[in-house]
Amino acid sequence: AKRIYIIDEVHMLSKQAFNALLKTLEEPPEHVVFILATTDPHKLPPTIISRTQQFVFHYISQEDIRKHLQFIADQEKIDISSEAIQIIAERGGGSFRDSISLLDQISSLNTSNQISAELLENILGLVPQKNIQKILDLYISQDVSQIIRTVDEIKNSGINMQIFIDQFILEIRNNLSDKPFLVSLLSPLIEIKNSQFIDIELLSILIKPKRSHTIATSVTAPTA
């Protein structure tokens, strides 16, 4: 029989711990298998990498995560809406572990009512989905006064603006197939995520400057 040891987040080990592990990896016992899991393989010493086989695990699709979360909710009798499960799948960032952990945290609230998208948005400090769509619609219609008012409302509500930008980017990504012109927003939004003045820079992205019109006049040279 084999003994399997899984070391999660192995890149967090100290230099001394890596040196001690290296001796075991050089001459491992036949009955032992080490699995070193990490999200940052570039942080591992070359001596460790050269003595191991590497397998790259890809992120899980949101649809697969959503189905698995729904399965867990059904098995554990967690009353949660499909919209709330979709939000958890999106916030999980392609990780089963993070998504399941978030579902577990939410379910521990022991609420007598269904866990709705609105409740989840409130708990996680998210901007309601309807407001995200509203901002997108206002950008398309270029209703400047409403854009300014809505951005101010989001900022004054105490929402973390970086989280809002993440949500907005995701909403744009989901709409690209129908509205490909929105792709021009992605790079500017990514650039302002760490700005101290996200709300101001967001307005500069959302409000298109009006084109100036040049009036051409013809000049007739005087006749001799």
Side-chain angles (χ1 to χ4, degrees), residues 173-184:
R173 174 65 181 84
N174 292 338
N175 280 271
L176 281 181
S177 58
D178 296 327
K179 303 179 179 69
F181 62 89
L182 294 175
V183 72
S184 61

Side-chain angles (χ1 to χ4, degrees), residues 80-110:
I80 182 170
S81 70
S82 58
E83 292 82 6
I85 285 182
Q86 181 62 36
I87 292 174
I88 293 176
E90 291 172 354
R91 302 307 298 174
S95 168
F96 266 139
R97 178 180 62 184
D98 292 347
S99 300
I100 294 173
S101 176
L102 184 53
L103 176 63
D104 182 56
Q105 293 175 34
I106 299 301
S107 63
S108 67
L109 295 175
N110 292 323

Side-chain angles (χ1 to χ4, degrees), residues 200-213:
I200 301 300
E201 297 198 37
L202 178 60
L203 290 176
S204 71
I205 293 172
L206 295 177
I207 300 174
K208 299 178 183 178
K210 293 183 178 180
R211 296 180 180 179
S212 59
H213 299 279

Side-chain angles (χ1 to χ4, degrees), residues 6-221:
I6 301 175
I7 305 178
D8 196 13
E9 302 295 348
V10 70
H11 63 274
M12 298 295 291
L13 294 181
S14 65
K15 182 179 179 180
Q16 293 76 11
F18 272 126
N19 289 336
L21 179 61
L22 182 60
K23 296 182 181 298
T24 304
L25 294 180
E26 286 176 339
E27 298 180 4
E30 293 184 1
H31 67 284
V32 171
V33 174
F34 287 98
I35 298 178
L36 312 180
T38 178
T39 52
D40 295 291
H42 61 279
K43 294 183 179 180
L44 300 182
T47 50
I48 296 292
I49 294 177
S50 65
R51 288 166 174 78
T52 56
Q53 288 183 306
Q54 298 182 50
F55 300 91
V56 178
F57 293 93
H58 300 285
Y59 287 119
I60 309 301
S61 70
Q62 284 189 15
E63 180 61 19
D64 287 339
I65 291 178
R66 187 192 63 76
K67 289 179 180 179
H68 192 60
L69 292 177
Q70 186 65 65
F71 172 78
I72 294 175
D74 293 341
Q75 295 296 310
E76 298 297 326
K77 304 295 188 295
I78 301 172
D79 189 6
I80 182 170
S81 70
S82 58
E83 292 82 6
I85 285 182
Q86 181 62 36
I87 292 174
I88 293 176
E90 291 172 354
R91 302 307 298 174
S95 168
F96 266 139
R97 178 180 62 184
D98 292 347
S99 300
I100 294 173
S101 176
L102 184 53
L103 176 63
D104 182 56
Q105 293 175 34
I106 299 301
S107 63
S108 67
L109 295 175
N110 292 323
T111 176
S112 58
N113 300 318
Q114 182 186 62
I115 300 174
S116 63
E118 291 76 17
L119 175 63
L120 194 57
E121 288 167 346
N122 185 49
I123 293 172
L124 299 180
L126 302 177
V127 176
Q129 182 62 32
K130 60 182 181 181
N131 288 354
I132 300 291
Q133 185 60 53
K134 179 182 178 181
I135 283 282
L136 201 56
D137 293 339
L138 291 174
Y139 167 76
I140 294 172
S141 65
Q142 278 300 289
D143 189 335
V144 175
S145 62
Q146 284 298 322
I147 289 175
I148 296 173
R149 182 179 302 173
T150 305
V151 170
D152 285 344
E153 287 175 355
I154 292 173
K155 179 186 177 183
N156 295 333
S157 68
I159 294 293
N160 184 313
M161 292 299 288
Q162 290 180 324
I163 293 179
F164 165 69
I165 294 296
D166 285 336
Q167 290 182 261
F168 195 31
I169 289 173
L170 179 61
E171 183 65 20
I172 292 171
R173 174 65 181 84
N174 292 338
N175 280 271
L176 281 181
S177 58
D178 296 327
K179 303 179 179 69
F181 62 89
L182 294 175
V183 72
S184 61
L185 292 175
L186 294 179
S187 292
L189 288 173
I190 292 171
E191 290 177 1
I192 70 170
K193 276 187 60 176
N194 296 319
S195 171
Q196 295 181 344
F197 308 99
I198 291 182
D199 56 318
I200 301 300
E201 297 198 37
L202 178 60
L203 290 176
S204 71
I205 293 172
L206 295 177
I207 300 174
K208 299 178 183 178
K210 293 183 178 180
R211 296 180 180 179
S212 59
H213 299 279
T214 302
I215 301 176
T217 59
S218 60
V219 179
T220 304

